[in-house]
Amino acid sequence: NAGVTQTPKFRILKIGQSMTLQCTQDMNHNYMYWYRQDPGMGLKLIYYSVGAGITDKGEVPNGYNVSRSTTEDFPLRLELAAPSQTSVYFCASSYPGQGAGANVLTFGAGSRLTVL
Amino acid sequence: ILNVEQSPQSLHVQEGDSTNFTCSFPSSNFYALHWYRWETAKSPEALFVMTLNGDEKKKGRISATLNTKEGYSYLYIKGSQPEDSATYLCAYKNTGNQFYFGTGTSLTVIP
């Protein structure tokens, strides 16, 4: 059981380049999230999805796009990379409900992105 | 903007000391309060999920309490050990689908 898998772990981009951070989970979780974490700041939500075909903006969506064509995958796309997007990105998933384990976030290992 | 605040920002304690930190959050539209433990070079892992006012949760030497009416939660560590060194994050969930994280309390336990 792999949990939440993110790739790549590290990437350096030039300003203006585009790239996709991949996230996949094998727990059949409905909900998936993308967060970014900057020094001295809490995790900030970029986008989230409550199921295949449904995505919503979080607190800091500008400069990013997402899609959710399957339950398992939730890629995050940066179209025109900017230095302000230098950060560590975490994908997470959860399932809704009332029982033990419901709504608990399972995180991927993170992707460190540097834009120069 | 929804504020979730944690204090202190960082803490150094001696091995064996007990310690506690605070998470404050909006008391309106409350659904759940989560605590996560985040070790360096790893990803956050869930410690507790609390949903009811007055909830108390315990896992070994770590426990947490919840006051939804006044909007705060305490995390306690009894007899701190070096392996407790980590950043402790709280996350507030309202009746929507989003979690709002605090900036974390970084705990260092000195042997």
Side-chain angles (χ1 to χ4, degrees):
Chain A
N1 191 344
V4 178
T5 304
Q6 287 182 238
T7 56
K9 284 192 166 41
F10 303 95
R11 182 76 186 267
I12 298 175
L13 281 181
K14 292 184 180 174
I15 294 172
Q17 283 187 317
S18 60
M19 76 157 298
T20 300
L21 297 175
Q22 302 291 346
C23 176
T24 188
Q25 51 92 9
D26 61 0
M27 299 171 286
N28 203 33
H29 285 178
N30 303 80
Y31 291 11
M32 295 187 76
Y33 307 81
W34 273 106
Y35 290 91
R36 59 177 287 172
Q37 200 262 330
D38 301 305
M41 308 285 286
L43 290 164
K44 296 294 184 188
L45 183 64
I46 305 170
Y47 270 95
Y48 67 100
S49 167
V50 300
I54 307 168
T55 61
D56 274 299
K57 294 178 182 179
E59 298 171 271
V60 291
N62 291 344
Y64 306 95
N65 275 304
V66 291
S67 59
R68 184 97 183 268
S69 55
T70 66
T71 300
E72 294 78 19
D73 300 306
F74 190 42
L76 178 73
R77 180 137 182 100
L78 286 71
E79 290 293 350
L80 289 169
S84 59
Q85 293 177 303
T86 294
S87 189
V88 182
Y89 292 83
F90 286 93
C91 180
S93 71
S94 69
Y95 65 90
Q98 301 291 328
N103 298 302
V104 174
L105 293 171
T106 300
F107 285 87
S111 299
R112 183 176 293 274
L113 178 67
T114 303
V115 183
L116 300 173
Chain B
I1 296 176
L2 199 147
N3 274 335
V4 177
E5 295 183 358
Q6 290 187 247
S7 63
Q9 211 168 21
S10 67
L11 200 51
H12 289 73
V13 301
Q14 291 292 136
E15 182 175 354
D17 285 352
S18 294
T19 186
N20 65 85
F21 6 105
T22 307
C23 172
S24 60
F25 52 86
S27 53
S28 57
N29 300 320
F30 177 86
Y31 186 84
L33 193 284
H34 293 201
W35 281 98
Y36 290 84
R37 183 168 179 275
W38 194 357
E39 290 181 76
T40 304
K42 294 187 177 179
S43 46
E45 291 185 348
L47 277 174
F48 302 117
V49 175
M50 293 187 287
T51 55
L52 297 174
N53 185 43
D55 251 356
E56 290 188 24
K57 300 274 184 174
K58 192 169 192 282
K59 188 182 286 189
R61 293 178 291 98
I62 305 178
S63 59
T65 61
L66 179 68
N67 183 323
T68 59
K69 292 186 172 151
E70 294 178 48
Y72 64 83
S73 174
Y74 295 136
L75 188 81
Y76 301 91
I77 302 180
K78 188 176 172 183
S80 303
Q81 299 297 307
E83 58 265 29
D84 295 330
S85 296
T87 295
Y88 291 83
L89 293 175
C90 70
Y92 159 84
K93 186 179 187 305
N94 60 16
T95 49
N97 291 313
Q98 300 190 32
F99 288 89
Y100 298 88
F101 282 83
T103 52
T105 293
S106 172
L107 174 67
T108 304
V109 181
I110 304 160

